[in-house]
Amino acid sequence: MVSKRLQNVPASGTVKIANLVSQMKADGVDIVSFSMGEPDFATPENIVESCVESVRSGFTHYTPSMGITPLRKAIAAEAVSKGIPCKASNVLVTPTKQAIFMIALAYLDPGDEVLLPDPAWVSYEAVVRLAGAEPVYINTKFDDGFVVDPADVEAAITPRTKMLIMNSPSNPTGCVQPESVLREISKICADRGVRVMSDEIYEHIIYGGKHFPMASFEGAFDNTFTVSGLSKTYAMTGWRIGWVIAPEEDIRAINKLQTHSITCCTSFVQTAAVEAMNGPQDSRCRMVAEFKRRRDLALDLINDIPGLECCKPDGAFYLFPKYEKDIKSTDLAEHLLQKGHVAVTPGRAFGPAGEGFFRISYATSESQIIEGFSRIKKSLSQL
Ligand code: GLU
């Protein structure tokens, strides 16, 4: 019998669909996949080279648990350039999902409440529950472009509220929360003693606007855990590397968990991460420009499908269309996959407000986007 803790938590909705797609592809089914949020580009050559060189040079053993110093320095330097007042000693190197998991385990107790926007990425609710705490969703609306209303945050805080999780640009909506909203939420949380975990993994995938780290606002640093990583920015999802930036005493607490779990990130991946951050940035910029073209293409194609409506997001690589048909999003995703051979993630996986929507990850080629939407159009018309 698995633990009560685990019984409380479903398997990841995003990873579940991705696994199913892999299985169907392995069985020879031709699937267009809009499921997994991962860039289809190859990791840039300079990063790969630096990794290979590191392995060949014998850098294949444990590193300090908090990460190698050049990487912690590179992460801190980038954060400082965005206005986060930190030093290398404020950085812990760890895979981004591991960071989120460790923060939840380190700071949440049974009975605590955690605020999160609805819809939000699937694993926030899961880690909150695994830590024994309760997720409390803050509703956001399609008509408002999924922007969080700070007054709703204020109203949802109770004496049990321990933490708020933000994610801008957002997975699954692509919404980039306005600076004023992030600033206000940050202040409300600091004033009310609610810690902020700001997942900024899509910080560089932003079209036109600017990214505002929550820890950069006045007085916010001591109250904020900033989580980010290289997966999305440099097409490095398989390398499993990211970080937490926080006050030193928090880094020490989270590091306790790191020492009892993964010990450290893969040594030669850390070398490659230094190259990713300090080396040329042209490939990163090219990828973002390409994502923008794909967003525009995908939006045009959605607008051509009767019964679908979609906000125009300013970041990440997701679209979150609303559909008219009276069918649950899990059943719709099942229909699209089995009948149309196109994989999407059901909106309900992202929280109650996701019902009636599905998520498209457009981090795939233009030809796959065109083919995928033609399949969606046909399959919807058969419902
Ligand atoms: N974050 C990506 C997604 O939402 C990767 C899978 C996951 O970690 O959930 O598709």
Side-chain angles (χ1 to χ4, degrees):
M1 187 74 152
V2 298
S3 65
K4 293 206 179 59
R5 205 180 303 119
L6 193 56
Q7 286 170 30
N8 238 342
V9 168
S12 160
T14 48
V15 179
K16 199 160 101 189
I17 303 259
N19 288 343
L20 192 58
V21 168
S22 300
Q23 187 55 51
M24 289 176 84
K25 281 185 174 168
D27 292 343
V29 187
D30 161 39
I31 304 280
V32 173
S33 182
F34 292 143
S35 72
M36 200 66 156
E38 74 168 338
D40 62 326
F41 303 112
T43 303
E45 199 52 33
N46 61 315
I47 302 173
V48 174
E49 277 308 318
S50 136
C51 174
V52 171
E53 214 173 282
S54 181
V55 175
R56 286 202 198 286
S57 77
F59 193 58
T60 52
H61 299 97
Y62 292 128
T63 72
S65 61
M66 291 199 195
I68 58 172
T69 302
L71 181 54
R72 295 175 78 201
K73 281 187 172 162
I75 293 164
E78 208 222 22
V80 167
S81 76
K82 292 178 306 202
I84 301 180
C86 69
K87 300 199 280 282
S89 53
N90 297 115
V91 176
L92 176 94
V93 177
T94 193
T96 315
K97 283 174 90 164
Q98 175 80 5
I100 294 167
F101 196 71
M102 292 196 296
I103 293 167
L105 278 193
Y107 289 89
L108 301 177
D109 284 309
D112 289 343
E113 292 175 350
V114 177
L115 307 181
L116 50 150
D118 186 11
W121 175 58
V122 295
S123 294
Y124 301 136
E125 172 173 342
V127 295
V128 167
R129 288 197 189 282
L130 284 170
E134 286 288 316
V136 175
Y137 279 113
I138 310 280
N139 185 262
T140 64
K141 295 188 182 60
F142 175 83
D143 291 338
D144 302 334
F146 300 105
V147 171
V148 178
D149 184 342
D152 291 342
V153 171
E154 179 101 61
I157 295 176
T158 73
R160 288 166 58 195
T161 311
K162 193 72 165 286
M163 188 179 282
L164 168 133
I165 302 179
M166 280 302 293
N167 172 222
S168 175
S170 150
N171 174 4
T173 65
C175 168
V176 177
Q177 302 289 336
E179 181 195 2
S180 57
V181 165
L182 292 173
R183 193 183 283 280
E184 208 176 323
I185 291 174
S186 170
K187 179 156 186 344
I188 292 168
C189 289
D191 290 350
R192 303 285 299 269
V194 174
R195 295 297 300 264
V196 172
M197 172 168 21
S198 183
D199 177 357
E200 303 183 8
I201 187 75
Y202 299 99
E203 58 185 315
H204 294 289
I205 304 175
I206 201 156
Y207 313 122
K210 193 167 173 272
H211 174 68
F212 295 96
M214 289 188 85
S216 68
F217 301 134
E218 211 185 312
F221 182 75
D222 285 346
N223 198 42
T224 308
F225 303 97
T226 304
V227 173
S228 192
L230 300 181
S231 291
K232 319 287 181 179
T233 309
Y234 298 94
M236 289 177 71
T237 47
W239 300 64
R240 312 313 295 143
I241 190 153
W243 55 82
V244 188
I245 301 174
E248 278 178 25
E249 60 178 17
D250 295 317
I251 291 295
R252 279 196 293 275
I254 298 164
N255 186 47
K256 261 209 241 178
L257 281 165
Q258 175 111 314
T259 61
H260 287 303
S261 52
I262 63 168
T263 308
C264 62
C265 271
T266 308
S267 50
F268 42 86
V269 168
Q270 294 188 57
T271 313
V274 176
E275 171 62 21
M277 302 203 70
N278 291 348
Q281 300 297 308
D282 50 319
S283 43
R284 169 182 115 184
C285 299
R286 265 201 307 278
M287 289 191 270
V288 174
E290 181 58 29
F291 286 139
K292 186 165 189 270
R293 271 193 292 280
R294 292 172 181 185
R295 176 201 63 177
D296 294 340
L297 169 67
L299 273 172
D300 282 349
L301 293 169
I302 286 183
N303 288 333
D304 189 42
I305 301 179
L308 289 188
E309 224 186 319
C310 195
C311 297
K312 183 175 183 180
D314 289 326
F317 36 59
Y318 304 111
L319 293 173
F320 205 57
K322 181 161 97 164
Y323 58 85
E324 253 173 19
K325 297 267 185 206
D326 185 18
I327 174 173
K328 281 195 183 142
S329 59
T330 41
D331 294 339
L332 181 81
E334 177 80 15
H335 170 79
L336 292 178
L337 184 61
Q338 302 299 348
K339 297 280 181 318
H341 293 172
V342 54
V344 304
T345 310
R348 182 61 184 87
F350 302 96
E355 192 50 276
F357 295 79
F358 59 92
R359 188 191 77 171
I360 296 282
S361 164
Y362 57 82
T364 188
S365 70
E366 209 175 290
S367 60
Q368 286 285 286
I369 292 173
I370 293 169
E371 174 62 22
F373 277 102
S374 131
R375 293 184 189 190
I376 289 177
K377 187 172 185 179
K378 189 161 163 223
S379 313
L380 283 179
S381 71
Q382 288 163 348
L383 271 174

